[in-house]
Amino acid sequence: MADEGFEVPRLAQLYDPLDPDRGDLDVYVAIVDELGARSVLDVGCGTGTFALMLAARGLDVTGVDPAEASLDVARGKPGADAVRWVHGDATTVGAVGADVATMTGNVAQVFVTDEEWAATLDALRGALAPGGHLVVETRVPEREAWREWTRAATHAVTDVDGVGQVETWTEVTEVRGELVTFRATWVFASDGAVLTSHSTLRFRDRRTVEQSLERAGFEVVDVRDAPDRPGRELVFVARQT
């Protein structure tokens, strides 16, 4: 089940207007090019921005996401017919034979149990072509990014075309070991509606991620600083063995 922020149609339609700068995805386009991929599986594709960037470059792209509302937004974008959209997760997508599978943003961290994470990695190994690559982004837990997820630090008021003024903020509600739970809030000036979404992310350290990839049948070939957030996020590049 996807979080409300991605599954509720009124909120899914705000995802792109409230976060319009996706320059962070250029890094992953470059990695896909570097690996010589012609087909990509975008896991947790959301509203489809990355999948559509790749499809526009002539790649064969499959985007999978558990949030139907987010996929509806993706399907309504220019060029959407060039992408194969799948409602589900990595365990339901099947053996698509992709050269590369990607998990950008917070996607890898939404799998909070060892069982969920292992099942996802096993499924992705099966979804890849022989020798295919998996590219995974995670936040560095030592940086404790969640300390910045306060109302004071995240509060914003944005005028959204066709929607009106929307007030937003995020605040952490619980930190328990590697698990960080937070609540996002949206207030709509047009009708006073207040909507919230609750999310939990797991902050695995580098060694834990590497070991889990190796257990799933991947060889970690590179671990990089995310160029747009050096010291704050890591990008793992692993090859199917």
Side-chain angles (χ1 to χ4, degrees):
M1 180 77 179
D3 297 337
E4 299 95 327
F6 308 109
E7 190 60 87
V8 175
R10 191 174 188 181
L11 297 180
Q13 292 164 4
L14 289 176
Y15 185 85
D16 294 323
L18 294 180
D19 188 16
D21 181 7
R22 296 310 311 273
D24 59 305
L25 296 176
D26 293 339
V27 173
Y28 297 96
V29 172
I31 292 175
V32 168
D33 285 348
E34 174 190 333
L35 296 173
R38 298 306 306 160
S39 59
V40 176
L41 171 61
D42 183 15
V43 181
C45 65
T47 59
T49 301
F50 183 52
L52 290 167
M53 289 172 68
L54 296 174
R57 298 169 68 87
L59 276 70
D60 179 23
V61 184
T62 300
V64 59
D65 200 282
E68 188 70 57
S70 293
L71 288 176
D72 285 342
V73 174
R75 293 185 184 110
K77 292 182 176 181
D81 290 347
V83 177
R84 183 182 308 108
W85 305 106
V86 178
H87 180 219
D89 57 31
T91 65
T92 60
V93 75
V96 295
D99 296 324
V100 173
T102 59
M103 285 190 278
T104 63
N106 293 328
V107 173
Q109 293 181 243
V110 304
F111 305 102
V112 297
T113 69
D114 291 339
E115 293 76 15
E116 288 176 317
W117 181 232
T120 297
L121 294 179
D122 287 343
L124 289 174
R125 186 175 187 277
L128 288 168
H133 288 81
L134 173 61
V135 180
V136 177
E137 175 183 322
T138 65
R139 295 174 186 262
V140 176
E142 292 81 5
R143 290 300 299 266
E144 299 184 337
W146 60 86
R147 293 190 179 277
E148 301 171 8
W149 301 349
T150 65
R151 175 166 179 158
T154 63
H155 182 267
V157 178
T158 307
D159 287 316
V160 179
D161 288 346
V163 174
Q165 195 175 81
V166 182
E167 182 182 9
T168 57
W169 67 87
T170 301
E171 49 197 342
V172 171
T173 56
E174 183 180 36
V175 178
R176 182 182 299 178
E178 295 180 329
L179 302 181
V180 178
T181 300
F182 55 97
R183 179 177 61 244
T185 302
W186 296 259
V187 181
F188 294 81
S190 60
D191 60 3
V194 179
L195 300 183
T196 59
S197 178
H198 298 79
S199 306
T200 299
L201 299 179
R202 182 170 176 180
F203 284 71
R204 297 176 177 86
D205 62 27
R206 173 174 174 166
R207 180 157 180 78
T208 298
V209 175
E210 290 179 327
Q211 289 177 334
S212 66
L213 289 167
E214 290 164 0
R215 282 195 299 269
F218 290 94
E219 175 192 2
V220 178
V221 296
D222 200 6
V223 182
R224 311 174 180 183
D225 244 349
D228 60 319
R229 295 178 184 177
R232 300 173 66 88
E233 295 181 359
L234 295 175
V235 179
F236 296 79
V237 181
R239 180 172 54 236
Q240 184 204 63
T241 59

